[in-house]
Amino acid sequence: MKIAIASDHGGFELKQRLKELLVESGYELSDFGCHSKESVDYPAYADILCKSIIAGDCERGILICGSGIGMSIAANRYRRIRAALCHDDYTARMCREHNDANVLCLGERVSGSGVAEEIVKRWLTTEFAGGRHQQRIDQFSD
Ligand code: RB5
């Protein structure tokens, strides 16, 4: 599975840590920036990542900012993107099983790296349950 990852300056350090985890776990990665802690605007990074998923270049994406909130608001403006801001194992599992979330949003200033790593592992390994949940997410499309 090819994973896209991007952050603003508020999520840069966590992005670097998660990249190591993902590479160690054997995932192919596209890093869309940012590339330092210099201040940038998060919508530009959400935009390039969401477009890579919509185009089919990457299957799933991880967006990180300070709180995770700005990235999740930005990503959910794109049709076919279902972005979930997760804070724990339960939300990571549920956003996959029930919502088929194809983008995970994290807040570096909210979730420590250990918790964030557990969230990413759970989100990557939990399957969508389908059935009645498919019927519900189908209602987003138009
Ligand atoms: C940047 O200071 C911060 O506003 C941003 O990373 C994010 O948390 C916005 O939602």
Side-chain angles (χ1 to χ4, degrees):
M1 190 192 309
K2 189 170 181 184
I3 310 291
I5 193 165
S7 74
D8 72 354
H9 55 289
F12 174 73
E13 285 188 356
L14 181 56
K15 174 167 71 72
Q16 299 309 102
R17 174 65 203 113
L18 292 178
K19 277 173 63 179
E20 288 172 23
L21 170 77
L22 291 164
V23 169
E24 282 165 16
S25 305
Y27 290 99
E28 197 183 345
L29 273 188
S30 281
D31 179 358
F32 291 110
C34 62
H35 300 292
S36 76
K37 292 180 77 172
E38 187 181 333
S39 183
V40 293
D41 296 332
Y42 60 82
Y45 296 90
D47 182 70
I48 189 168
L49 181 141
C50 291
K51 285 178 176 167
S52 81
I53 293 171
I54 292 164
D57 298 332
C58 294
E59 200 171 319
R60 301 235 211 123
I62 300 172
L63 286 170
I64 312 156
C65 61
S67 64
I69 296 169
M71 285 296 199
S72 62
I73 292 171
N76 277 313
R77 297 176 69 86
Y78 294 77
R79 189 168 288 182
R80 294 197 296 278
I81 296 297
R82 294 174 301 281
L85 172 56
C86 293
H87 296 104
D88 49 34
D89 187 74
Y90 180 77
T91 49
R93 184 166 66 82
M94 294 311 290
C95 81
R96 287 293 310 136
E97 283 185 5
H98 286 195
N99 312 113
D100 196 18
N102 52 6
V103 171
L104 170 66
C105 299
L106 294 166
E108 179 182 308
R109 298 171 187 161
V110 181
S111 302
S113 62
V115 172
E117 288 172 19
E118 293 304 317
I119 289 170
V120 168
K121 286 181 201 165
R122 180 70 72 196
W123 179 74
L124 284 170
T125 55
T126 303
E127 295 298 320
F128 177 46
R132 68 185 188 281
H133 303 294
Q134 181 67 58
Q135 172 187 319
R136 290 164 185 166
I137 68 168
D138 284 345
Q139 294 175 39
F140 293 141
S141 50
D142 295 316

